[in-house]
Coordinates of all heavy atoms in Angstrom, one line a residue:
M1477 N -17.6 -24.0 39.4 CA -17.2 -24.0 38.0 C -18.3 -24.7 37.2 O -18.7 -25.8 37.6 CB -15.8 -24.8 37.9 CG -15.3 -24.8 36.6 SD -13.6 -25.1 36.6 CE -13.2 -25.1 34.9
P1478 N -18.7 -24.1 36.1 CA -19.8 -24.7 35.3 C -19.3 -25.9 34.6 O -18.1 -26.0 34.2 CB -20.2 -23.6 34.4 CG -19.0 -22.7 34.3 CD -18.3 -22.8 35.6
S1479 N -20.2 -26.8 34.4 CA -19.9 -28.1 33.7 C -19.8 -27.8 32.2 O -20.3 -26.8 31.7 CB -20.9 -29.1 34.0 OG -22.1 -28.8 33.4
L1480 N -19.2 -28.8 31.5 CA -19.0 -28.7 30.1 C -20.3 -28.7 29.4 O -20.5 -28.1 28.4 CB -18.0 -29.8 29.6 CG -17.5 -29.7 28.2 CD1 -16.8 -28.5 28.0 CD2 -16.7 -30.9 27.9
A1481 N -21.2 -29.5 29.9 CA -22.5 -29.6 29.2 C -23.3 -28.3 29.3 O -24.0 -27.9 28.3 CB -23.3 -30.8 29.9
R1482 N -23.2 -27.6 30.4 CA -23.9 -26.3 30.6 C -23.3 -25.3 29.6 O -24.0 -24.5 29.1 CB -23.9 -25.9 32.0 CG -24.9 -26.6 32.9 CD -24.9 -26.1 34.3 NE -25.2 -24.6 34.3 CZ -25.0 -23.9 35.4 NH1 -24.6 -24.4 36.5 NH2 -25.3 -22.6 35.3
I1483 N -22.0 -25.3 29.5 CA -21.4 -24.4 28.6 C -21.8 -24.6 27.2 O -22.1 -23.7 26.4 CB -19.8 -24.4 28.8 CG1 -19.4 -23.9 30.1 CG2 -19.1 -23.6 27.7 CD1 -18.0 -24.1 30.4
R1484 N -21.8 -25.9 26.7 CA -22.2 -26.2 25.4 C -23.7 -25.8 25.1 O -24.0 -25.5 24.0 CB -22.1 -27.7 25.1 CG -20.6 -28.0 24.9 CD -20.4 -29.4 24.3 NE -21.0 -29.4 23.0 CZ -21.2 -30.5 22.3 NH1 -20.9 -31.7 22.8 NH2 -21.7 -30.5 21.1
E1485 N -24.6 -25.9 26.1 CA -25.9 -25.4 25.9 C -26.0 -24.0 25.6 O -26.9 -23.5 24.8 CB -26.8 -25.8 27.1 CG -27.0 -27.2 27.3 CD -27.8 -27.5 28.6 OE1 -28.1 -26.5 29.4 OE2 -28.0 -28.7 28.9
R1486 N -25.2 -23.2 26.2 CA -25.2 -21.7 26.0 C -24.5 -21.3 24.7 O -24.9 -20.2 24.1 CB -24.6 -21.0 27.2 CG -25.4 -21.2 28.4 CD -24.7 -20.4 29.5 NE -25.3 -20.7 30.8 CZ -24.9 -20.3 32.0 NH1 -23.9 -19.5 32.0 NH2 -25.5 -20.6 33.1
L1487 N -23.5 -22.0 24.3 CA -22.7 -21.6 23.1 C -23.1 -22.3 21.9 O -23.4 -23.5 21.9 CB -21.2 -21.9 23.4 CG -20.5 -21.0 24.4 CD1 -19.1 -21.5 24.6 CD2 -20.5 -19.6 24.1
P1488 N -23.1 -21.7 20.7 CA -23.2 -22.4 19.5 C -22.1 -23.4 19.3 O -21.0 -23.2 19.8 CB -23.2 -21.3 18.4 CG -23.4 -20.1 19.1 CD -23.0 -20.2 20.5
F1489 N -22.3 -24.4 18.5 CA -21.3 -25.5 18.3 C -20.0 -25.0 17.7 O -19.0 -25.4 18.1 CB -21.9 -26.6 17.4 CG -21.0 -27.8 17.2 CD1 -20.8 -28.6 18.3 CD2 -20.5 -28.0 16.0 CE1 -20.0 -29.7 18.2 CE2 -19.6 -29.1 15.9 CZ -19.4 -30.0 16.9
V1490 N -20.1 -24.1 16.7 CA -18.9 -23.5 16.1 C -18.0 -22.8 17.1 O -16.8 -22.9 17.1 CB -19.3 -22.7 14.9 CG1 -18.1 -22.0 14.3 CG2 -20.0 -23.4 13.9
V1491 N -18.7 -22.0 17.9 CA -17.9 -21.2 18.9 C -17.3 -22.1 19.9 O -16.1 -22.0 20.3 CB -18.9 -20.2 19.6 CG1 -18.1 -19.5 20.8 CG2 -19.4 -19.2 18.6
F1492 N -18.0 -23.2 20.3 CA -17.4 -24.2 21.2 C -16.2 -24.8 20.6 O -15.2 -25.0 21.3 CB -18.5 -25.2 21.5 CG -18.0 -26.3 22.4 CD1 -17.8 -26.1 23.8 CD2 -17.7 -27.6 21.9 CE1 -17.3 -27.1 24.6 CE2 -17.2 -28.6 22.7 CZ -17.0 -28.3 24.1
L1493 N -16.3 -25.2 19.3 CA -15.1 -25.8 18.7 C -13.9 -24.9 18.6 O -12.8 -25.3 18.8 CB -15.5 -26.3 17.3 CG -16.3 -27.6 17.2 CD1 -16.6 -27.9 15.8 CD2 -15.6 -28.7 17.9
L1494 N -14.2 -23.6 18.3 CA -13.1 -22.6 18.2 C -12.4 -22.4 19.6 O -11.2 -22.3 19.7 CB -13.6 -21.3 17.6 CG -14.0 -21.3 16.1 CD1 -14.6 -20.0 15.7 CD2 -12.8 -21.7 15.3
L1495 N -13.3 -22.3 20.6 CA -12.7 -22.2 21.9 C -11.9 -23.4 22.4 O -10.8 -23.3 23.0 CB -13.8 -21.9 23.0 CG -14.4 -20.5 22.9 CD1 -15.6 -20.4 23.9 CD2 -13.4 -19.5 23.2
L1496 N -12.4 -24.6 22.0 CA -11.6 -25.8 22.3 C -10.3 -25.9 21.6 O -9.3 -26.2 22.2 CB -12.5 -27.0 21.9 CG -11.9 -28.4 22.3 CD1 -11.9 -28.5 23.8 CD2 -12.8 -29.5 21.7
I1497 N -10.3 -25.5 20.3 CA -9.0 -25.4 19.5 C -8.1 -24.4 20.1 O -6.9 -24.7 20.3 CB -9.3 -25.1 18.1 CG1 -10.0 -26.3 17.4 CG2 -8.0 -24.8 17.3 CD1 -10.5 -26.1 16.0
L1498 N -8.6 -23.2 20.5 CA -7.8 -22.2 21.2 C -7.2 -22.7 22.5 O -6.0 -22.5 22.8 CB -8.6 -21.0 21.4 CG -7.8 -19.8 22.0 CD1 -6.8 -19.3 21.0 CD2 -8.8 -18.7 22.4
L1499 N -8.0 -23.4 23.3 CA -7.5 -24.0 24.5 C -6.4 -25.0 24.3 O -5.3 -24.9 25.0 CB -8.6 -24.6 25.3 CG -8.3 -25.3 26.6 CD1 -7.9 -24.2 27.6 CD2 -9.4 -26.1 27.1
V1500 N -6.5 -25.9 23.3 CA -5.5 -26.9 23.0 C -4.2 -26.2 22.5 O -3.1 -26.6 22.9 CB -6.0 -27.9 22.0 CG1 -4.9 -28.7 21.4 CG2 -7.1 -28.7 22.6
M1501 N -4.4 -25.1 21.7 CA -3.2 -24.4 21.2 C -2.4 -23.7 22.4 O -1.2 -23.7 22.4 CB -3.6 -23.4 20.2 CG -4.0 -24.0 18.9 SD -4.6 -22.8 17.7 CE -3.4 -21.5 17.7
V1502 N -3.2 -23.1 23.3 CA -2.6 -22.4 24.4 C -1.8 -23.4 25.3 O -0.7 -23.2 25.8 CB -3.6 -21.6 25.2 CG1 -3.1 -21.2 26.6 CG2 -4.1 -20.4 24.4
V1503 N -2.4 -24.6 25.6 CA -1.8 -25.6 26.4 C -0.5 -26.1 25.7 O 0.5 -26.3 26.3 CB -2.8 -26.7 26.7 CG1 -2.1 -27.9 27.3 CG2 -3.9 -26.2 27.6
G1504 N -0.6 -26.3 24.4 CA 0.6 -26.8 23.7 C 1.7 -25.7 23.6 O 2.8 -26.1 23.8
F1505 N 1.3 -24.5 23.5 CA 2.3 -23.4 23.5 C 3.0 -23.3 24.9 O 4.2 -23.2 25.0 CB 1.7 -22.1 23.2 CG 2.6 -20.9 23.2 CD1 3.5 -20.8 22.1 CD2 2.6 -20.0 24.2 CE1 4.4 -19.7 22.1 CE2 3.5 -18.9 24.2 CZ 4.4 -18.8 23.2
A1506 N 2.2 -23.4 25.9 CA 2.7 -23.4 27.3 C 3.6 -24.6 27.6 O 4.7 -24.4 28.1 CB 1.6 -23.4 28.3
C1507 N 3.3 -25.7 27.1 CA 4.2 -26.9 27.3 C 5.5 -26.7 26.5 O 6.5 -27.1 27.0 CB 3.4 -28.2 26.9 SG 2.1 -28.6 28.0
A1508 N 5.4 -26.2 25.3 CA 6.6 -26.1 24.5 C 7.5 -25.0 25.0 O 8.7 -25.2 25.0 CB 6.2 -25.7 23.1
C1509 N 6.9 -24.0 25.6 CA 7.8 -22.9 26.1 C 8.3 -23.1 27.5 O 9.4 -22.7 27.8 CB 7.0 -21.6 26.1 SG 6.7 -20.9 24.4
L1510 N 7.6 -23.8 28.3 CA 8.0 -24.1 29.7 C 9.1 -25.2 29.8 O 9.8 -25.2 30.7 CB 6.8 -24.4 30.6 CG 5.9 -23.2 30.8 CD1 4.7 -23.7 31.6 CD2 6.6 -22.0 31.4
T1511 N 9.2 -26.1 28.8 CA 10.1 -27.1 28.9 C 11.5 -26.8 28.3 O 12.4 -27.5 28.4 CB 9.6 -28.4 28.1 OG1 9.3 -28.0 26.8 CG2 8.3 -28.9 28.8
D1512 N 11.6 -25.6 27.7 CA 12.8 -25.3 27.0 C 13.2 -23.8 27.4 O 12.3 -23.0 27.7 CB 12.6 -25.4 25.5 CG 14.0 -25.6 24.8 OD1 15.0 -25.7 25.5 OD2 14.0 -25.7 23.5
H1513 N 14.4 -23.5 27.3 CA 14.8 -22.2 27.6 C 14.4 -21.3 26.4 O 14.5 -21.6 25.3 CB 16.3 -22.1 27.8 CG 16.8 -20.8 28.3 ND1 17.1 -19.7 27.6 CD2 17.1 -20.5 29.6 CE1 17.5 -18.7 28.3 NE2 17.5 -19.1 29.6
P1514 N 13.8 -20.1 26.7 CA 13.3 -19.2 25.6 C 14.4 -18.9 24.6 O 14.1 -18.8 23.4 CB 12.8 -18.0 26.3 CG 12.6 -18.4 27.7 CD 13.5 -19.5 28.0
M1515 N 15.6 -18.7 25.0 CA 16.6 -18.3 24.0 C 17.0 -19.4 23.1 O 17.4 -19.2 21.9 CB 17.9 -17.8 24.7 CG 17.7 -16.4 25.4 SD 17.1 -15.2 24.2 CE 18.5 -15.0 23.1
Q1516 N 16.9 -20.7 23.6 CA 17.1 -21.8 22.7 C 16.0 -21.9 21.6 O 16.3 -22.2 20.5 CB 17.1 -23.1 23.5 CG 18.3 -23.3 24.4 CD 18.3 -24.5 25.2 OE1 17.2 -25.1 25.4 NE2 19.4 -25.0 25.7
T1517 N 14.8 -21.6 22.0 CA 13.7 -21.6 21.0 C 13.9 -20.5 19.9 O 13.8 -20.7 18.7 CB 12.4 -21.3 21.7 OG1 12.2 -22.3 22.7 CG2 11.2 -21.4 20.8
I1518 N 14.3 -19.3 20.3 CA 14.6 -18.2 19.4 C 15.8 -18.6 18.5 O 15.8 -18.3 17.3 CB 14.9 -16.9 20.2 CG1 13.6 -16.4 20.9 CG2 15.4 -15.8 19.2 CD1 13.7 -15.3 21.8
D1519 N 16.8 -19.2 19.1 CA 18.0 -19.6 18.3 C 17.6 -20.6 17.2 O 18.1 -20.5 16.1 CB 19.1 -20.1 19.2 CG 20.4 -20.4 18.5 OD1 20.7 -19.6 17.6 OD2 21.1 -21.3 18.9
R1520 N 16.8 -21.6 17.6 CA 16.3 -22.6 16.6 C 15.5 -22.0 15.5 O 15.6 -22.3 14.3 CB 15.5 -23.7 17.3 CG 16.3 -24.8 17.8 CD 15.5 -25.9 18.3 NE 15.9 -26.2 19.6 CZ 15.1 -26.3 20.7 NH1 13.8 -26.1 20.5 NH2 15.5 -26.6 21.9
A1521 N 14.6 -21.0 15.8 CA 13.8 -20.3 14.8 C 14.7 -19.5 13.9 O 14.5 -19.5 12.7 CB 12.8 -19.4 15.5
L1522 N 15.7 -18.8 14.4 CA 16.6 -18.0 13.5 C 17.5 -18.9 12.7 O 17.7 -18.6 11.5 CB 17.4 -17.1 14.4 CG 16.7 -16.0 15.1 CD1 17.6 -15.1 15.9 CD2 16.0 -15.1 14.0
S1523 N 17.9 -20.1 13.2 CA 18.7 -21.0 12.3 C 17.9 -21.6 11.2 O 18.4 -22.0 10.2 CB 19.4 -22.0 13.2 OG 18.4 -22.9 13.8
A1524 N 16.6 -21.8 11.5 CA 15.7 -22.4 10.4 C 15.5 -21.4 9.3 O 15.4 -21.8 8.1 CB 14.4 -22.8 11.0
V1525 N 15.5 -20.1 9.5 CA 15.4 -19.1 8.5 C 16.6 -19.2 7.6 O 16.4 -19.0 6.3 CB 15.2 -17.7 9.1 CG1 15.3 -16.6 8.0 CG2 13.9 -17.6 9.8
A1526 N 17.8 -19.4 8.1 CA 19.0 -19.5 7.3 C 19.0 -20.6 6.3 O 19.6 -20.6 5.2 CB 20.2 -19.5 8.2
S1527 N 18.3 -21.7 6.7 CA 18.3 -22.9 5.8 C 17.3 -22.9 4.8 O 17.2 -23.8 3.9 CB 18.1 -24.2 6.7 OG 16.9 -24.2 7.3
M1528 N 16.4 -21.9 4.8 CA 15.3 -21.8 3.8 C 15.9 -21.2 2.5 O 16.9 -20.5 2.5 CB 14.2 -20.9 4.3 CG 13.4 -21.6 5.4 SD 12.2 -20.5 6.2 CE 11.5 -19.5 4.9
P1529 N 15.3 -21.5 1.3 CA 15.8 -20.9 0.1 C 15.6 -19.4 0.1 O 14.7 -18.9 0.7 CB 15.0 -21.6 -1.0 CG 13.8 -22.1 -0.3 CD 14.2 -22.4 1.1
A1530 N 16.4 -18.7 -0.8 CA 16.3 -17.2 -0.9 C 14.9 -16.8 -1.5 O 14.3 -17.6 -2.2 CB 17.4 -16.7 -1.7
V1531 N 14.5 -15.7 -1.1 CA 13.2 -15.2 -1.6 C 13.2 -15.0 -3.1 O 12.3 -15.3 -3.8 CB 12.8 -13.8 -0.9 CG1 11.6 -13.2 -1.5 CG2 12.7 -14.0 0.6
L1532 N 14.3 -14.6 -3.7 CA 14.5 -14.4 -5.1 C 14.3 -15.8 -5.8 O 13.6 -15.8 -6.9 CB 15.8 -13.8 -5.4 CG 16.1 -13.6 -6.9 CD1 15.2 -12.5 -7.4 CD2 17.6 -13.1 -7.1
V1533 N 14.8 -16.8 -5.3 CA 14.7 -18.1 -5.9 C 13.2 -18.6 -5.9 O 12.7 -19.1 -6.9 CB 15.6 -19.2 -5.2 CG1 15.4 -20.6 -5.7 CG2 17.1 -18.8 -5.4
V1534 N 12.6 -18.4 -4.7 CA 11.2 -18.9 -4.6 C 10.3 -18.1 -5.5 O 9.5 -18.7 -6.3 CB 10.7 -18.7 -3.1 CG1 9.2 -18.9 -3.0 CG2 11.5 -19.6 -2.2
W1535 N 10.5 -16.8 -5.7 CA 9.6 -16.0 -6.5 C 9.9 -16.3 -8.0 O 9.0 -16.3 -8.8 CB 9.9 -14.5 -6.3 CG 9.1 -14.0 -5.1 CD1 9.6 -13.7 -3.9 CD2 7.7 -13.7 -5.0 NE1 8.6 -13.3 -3.1 CE2 7.4 -13.3 -3.8 CE3 6.7 -13.7 -6.0 CZ2 6.1 -12.9 -3.3 CZ3 5.4 -13.4 -5.6 CH2 5.1 -13.0 -4.3
T1536 N 11.1 -16.6 -8.3 CA 11.5 -17.0 -9.7 C 10.8 -18.3 -10.1 O 10.1 -18.3 -11.2 CB 13.0 -17.1 -9.9 OG1 13.6 -15.9 -9.5 CG2 13.4 -17.4 -11.3
W1537 N 10.9 -19.3 -9.3 CA 10.2 -20.5 -9.6 C 8.7 -20.4 -9.6 O 8.0 -21.0 -10.4 CB 10.6 -21.6 -8.6 CG 12.0 -22.2 -9.0 CD1 13.1 -22.0 -8.3 CD2 12.3 -23.0 -10.1 NE1 14.2 -22.6 -8.9 CE2 13.6 -23.3 -10.0 CE3 11.5 -23.5 -11.1 CZ2 14.3 -24.0 -11.0 CZ3 12.2 -24.3 -12.1 CH2 13.5 -24.5 -12.0
M1538 N 8.1 -19.5 -8.7 CA 6.7 -19.3 -8.7 C 6.3 -18.7 -10.0 O 5.2 -19.0 -10.6 CB 6.3 -18.5 -7.5 CG 5.4 -19.3 -6.6 SD 4.9 -18.5 -5.1 CE 4.9 -16.8 -5.2
A1539 N 7.0 -17.7 -10.5 CA 6.7 -17.0 -11.7 C 6.8 -18.0 -12.9 O 5.9 -17.9 -13.8 CB 7.6 -15.8 -12.0
V1540 N 7.8 -18.8 -12.9 CA 7.9 -19.8 -14.0 C 6.7 -20.8 -14.0 O 6.1 -21.1 -15.1 CB 9.2 -20.6 -13.9 CG1 9.3 -21.8 -14.8 CG2 10.4 -19.6 -14.2
V1541 N 6.3 -21.3 -12.8 CA 5.2 -22.2 -12.8 C 3.9 -21.5 -13.2 O 3.1 -22.1 -13.9 CB 5.1 -22.8 -11.3 CG1 3.8 -23.5 -11.1 CG2 6.3 -23.7 -11.1
L1542 N 3.7 -20.3 -12.7 CA 2.5 -19.6 -13.1 C 2.4 -19.3 -14.6 O 1.3 -19.3 -15.2 CB 2.3 -18.3 -12.3 CG 2.0 -18.4 -10.8 CD1 2.0 -17.1 -10.1 CD2 0.6 -19.1 -10.7
L1543 N 3.5 -18.9 -15.1 CA 3.6 -18.7 -16.6 C 3.3 -20.0 -17.4 O 2.5 -20.0 -18.3 CB 4.9 -18.2 -17.0 CG 5.1 -17.8 -18.5 CD1 4.2 -16.6 -18.8 CD2 6.5 -17.5 -18.7
A1544 N 3.8 -21.1 -16.9 CA 3.5 -22.4 -17.6 C 2.1 -22.8 -17.5 O 1.5 -23.2 -18.4 CB 4.5 -23.5 -17.0
V1545 N 1.5 -22.6 -16.3 CA 0.1 -22.9 -16.1 C -0.8 -22.0 -16.9 O -1.8 -22.5 -17.5 CB -0.2 -22.8 -14.6 CG1 -1.7 -22.8 -14.3 CG2 0.4 -23.9 -13.8
S1546 N -0.5 -20.7 -17.0 CA -1.3 -19.8 -17.8 C -1.2 -20.2 -19.3 O -2.2 -20.0 -20.0 CB -0.9 -18.4 -17.5 OG 0.4 -18.1 -18.1
V1547 N -0.1 -20.6 -19.8 CA 0.0 -21.0 -21.2 C -0.8 -22.2 -21.4 O -1.5 -22.3 -22.4 CB 1.5 -21.2 -21.6 CG1 1.6 -21.9 -22.9 CG2 2.2 -19.9 -21.6
V1548 N -0.8 -23.2 -20.5 CA -1.6 -24.4 -20.7 C -3.1 -24.1 -20.6 O -3.9 -24.6 -21.4 CB -1.2 -25.5 -19.6 CG1 -2.1 -26.6 -19.6 CG2 0.2 -25.9 -19.9
V1549 N -3.5 -23.3 -19.7 CA -4.9 -23.0 -19.5 C -5.4 -22.1 -20.6 O -6.5 -22.4 -21.1 CB -5.1 -22.3 -18.1 CG1 -6.5 -21.8 -18.0 CG2 -4.8 -23.2 -17.0
Q1550 N -4.7 -21.2 -21.1 CA -5.1 -20.3 -22.2 C -5.1 -21.0 -23.5 O -5.9 -20.6 -24.4 CB -4.2 -19.1 -22.3 CG -4.4 -18.1 -21.2 CD -5.7 -17.3 -21.3 OE1 -6.7 -17.9 -21.7 NE2 -5.7 -16.1 -20.9
G1551 N -4.4 -22.1 -23.7 CA -4.3 -22.7 -25.0 C -5.5 -23.6 -25.3 O -5.6 -24.2 -26.3
G1552 N -6.5 -23.6 -24.4 CA -7.6 -24.5 -24.6 C -8.5 -24.2 -25.7 O -8.9 -25.0 -26.5
R1553 N -8.9 -22.9 -25.9 CA -9.9 -22.5 -26.9 C -9.5 -21.1 -27.4 O -9.5 -20.2 -26.7 CB -11.3 -22.5 -26.3 CG -12.3 -22.1 -27.2 CD -13.7 -22.3 -26.6 NE -14.7 -21.8 -27.5 CZ -15.4 -20.7 -27.4 NH1 -15.3 -20.0 -26.3 NH2 -16.3 -20.4 -28.3
A1554 N -9.4 -21.1 -28.7 CA -9.1 -19.8 -29.4 C -10.4 -19.2 -29.8 O -11.3 -19.8 -30.2 CB -8.1 -19.9 -30.5
A1555 N -10.5 -17.9 -29.8 CA -11.7 -17.2 -30.2 C -11.8 -17.2 -31.7 O -10.8 -16.9 -32.4 CB -11.7 -15.7 -29.7
S1556 N -13.0 -17.5 -32.2 CA -13.1 -17.5 -33.7 C -14.5 -16.8 -34.0 O -15.5 -17.4 -34.0 CB -13.2 -18.9 -34.2 OG -14.2 -19.7 -33.6
G1557 N -14.4 -15.5 -34.3 CA -15.6 -14.8 -34.6 C -16.4 -14.4 -33.4 O -15.9 -14.3 -32.3
R1558 N -17.7 -14.2 -33.6 CA -18.6 -13.8 -32.5 C -19.0 -15.0 -31.8 O -19.3 -16.0 -32.3 CB -19.8 -13.1 -33.2 CG -20.6 -12.4 -32.1 CD -21.6 -11.5 -32.8 NE -22.4 -10.8 -31.8 CZ -23.5 -11.2 -31.2 NH1 -23.9 -12.4 -31.5 NH2 -24.1 -10.5 -30.4
A1559 N -19.1 -14.8 -30.4 CA -19.6 -15.9 -29.6 C -21.0 -16.2 -29.8 O -21.8 -15.3 -30.1 CB -19.3 -15.5 -28.1
S1560 N -21.4 -17.4 -29.6 CA -22.8 -17.8 -29.8 C -23.7 -17.3 -28.6 O -23.1 -17.0 -27.5 CB -22.9 -19.3 -29.8 OG -22.6 -19.9 -28.6
P1561 N -25.0 -17.1 -28.8 CA -25.8 -16.6 -27.7 C -25.8 -17.6 -26.5 O -25.9 -17.2 -25.4 CB -27.2 -16.5 -28.3 CG -27.0 -16.4 -29.8 CD -25.7 -17.1 -30.1
A1562 N -25.7 -18.9 -26.8 CA -25.7 -19.8 -25.7 C -24.4 -19.6 -24.8 O -24.4 -19.7 -23.6 CB -25.7 -21.3 -26.2
F1563 N -23.3 -19.4 -25.5 CA -22.0 -19.1 -24.8 C -22.1 -17.8 -24.0 O -21.6 -17.7 -22.9 CB -20.8 -19.1 -25.7 CG -19.5 -18.9 -25.0 CD1 -18.9 -19.9 -24.3 CD2 -18.9 -17.7 -25.1 CE1 -17.8 -19.8 -23.7 CE2 -17.7 -17.5 -24.4 CZ -17.1 -18.5 -23.7
L1564 N -22.7 -16.8 -24.6 CA -22.8 -15.5 -23.9 C -23.7 -15.6 -22.7 O -23.5 -14.8 -21.7 CB -23.3 -14.4 -24.9 CG -22.3 -14.1 -26.0 CD1 -23.0 -13.1 -26.9 CD2 -21.1 -13.4 -25.4
Q1565 N -24.7 -16.4 -22.7 CA -25.7 -16.5 -21.6 C -25.3 -17.6 -20.6 O -26.1 -17.9 -19.7 CB -27.1 -16.8 -22.1 CG -27.6 -15.7 -22.9 CD -29.0 -16.0 -23.5 OE1 -29.5 -17.1 -23.4 NE2 -29.6 -15.0 -24.2
R1566 N -24.2 -18.2 -20.8 CA -23.8 -19.3 -19.9 C -23.7 -18.9 -18.4 O -24.1 -19.7 -17.6 CB -22.4 -19.8 -20.4 CG -21.9 -21.0 -19.6 CD -20.8 -21.7 -20.2 NE -19.7 -20.8 -20.4 CZ -18.5 -21.1 -20.7 NH1 -18.2 -22.4 -20.9 NH2 -17.5 -20.2 -20.9
F1567 N -23.3 -17.7 -18.1 CA -23.1 -17.3 -16.7 C -24.2 -16.5 -16.1 O -24.1 -16.0 -15.0 CB -21.7 -16.6 -16.5 CG -20.5 -17.4 -16.9 CD1 -19.8 -17.2 -18.0 CD2 -20.2 -18.5 -16.0 CE1 -18.7 -18.0 -18.2 CE2 -19.1 -19.3 -16.3 CZ -18.4 -19.0 -17.4
L1568 N -25.3 -16.3 -16.9 CA -26.4 -15.6 -16.3 C -27.2 -16.6 -15.5 O -27.4 -17.7 -15.8 CB -27.3 -15.1 -17.5 CG -26.6 -14.0 -18.4 CD1 -27.5 -13.6 -19.5 CD2 -26.2 -12.8 -17.6
F1569 N -27.7 -16.0 -14.4 CA -28.5 -16.9 -13.5 C -30.0 -16.6 -13.6 O -30.5 -15.5 -13.6 CB -28.0 -16.7 -12.0 CG -26.7 -17.2 -11.8 CD1 -25.6 -16.4 -11.7 CD2 -26.4 -18.6 -11.8 CE1 -24.3 -16.8 -11.5 CE2 -25.1 -19.0 -11.6 CZ -24.1 -18.2 -11.5

């Protein structure tokens, strides 16, 4: 079995970190699933969905918040005549 140092020499650092995170996730998933009966896990997941707010309520509040934010952001500067050349060239690189 190759050592950890030899594996790190061959792989870029980012790939090594992603593989390490994947390994930790797989071990955590295996520990969580092997210590409990699978049907109990499914039952807990389904009961958690029932306690969440309805989709209609969430979308309504999101629309209200986005509308309020857009009113606040748009209220900053009103257009008055033609824009200055400095303003028009502001985003040119």
Side-chain angles (χ1 to χ4, degrees):
M1477 183 159 180
S1479 68
L1480 190 60
R1482 281 184 57 194
I1483 292 175
R1484 284 196 63 195
E1485 288 175 3
R1486 293 183 190 175
L1487 293 176
F1489 184 68
V1490 175
V1491 175
F1492 177 75
L1493 285 179
L1494 291 175
L1495 286 176
L1496 185 66
I1497 291 170
L1498 181 67
L1499 177 71
V1500 169
M1501 287 174 50
V1502 167
V1503 169
F1505 180 75
C1507 291
C1509 287
L1510 293 178
T1511 58
D1512 206 2
H1513 193 272
M1515 287 309 292
Q1516 288 176 342
T1517 306
I1518 293 172
D1519 187 35
R1520 272 192 232 124
L1522 291 177
S1523 66
V1525 170
S1527 66
M1528 290 173 35
V1531 175
L1532 181 66
V1533 173
V1534 173
W1535 280 102
T1536 304
W1537 280 108
M1538 243 173 29
V1540 168
V1541 168
L1542 287 175
L1543 183 66
V1545 167
S1546 68
V1547 167
V1548 170
V1549 170
Q1550 288 287 37
R1553 179 174 177 250
S1556 58
R1558 188 168 187 275
S1560 68
F1563 182 75
L1564 291 173
Q1565 295 177 357
R1566 181 169 55 170
F1567 295 111
L1568 296 177
F1569 294 105

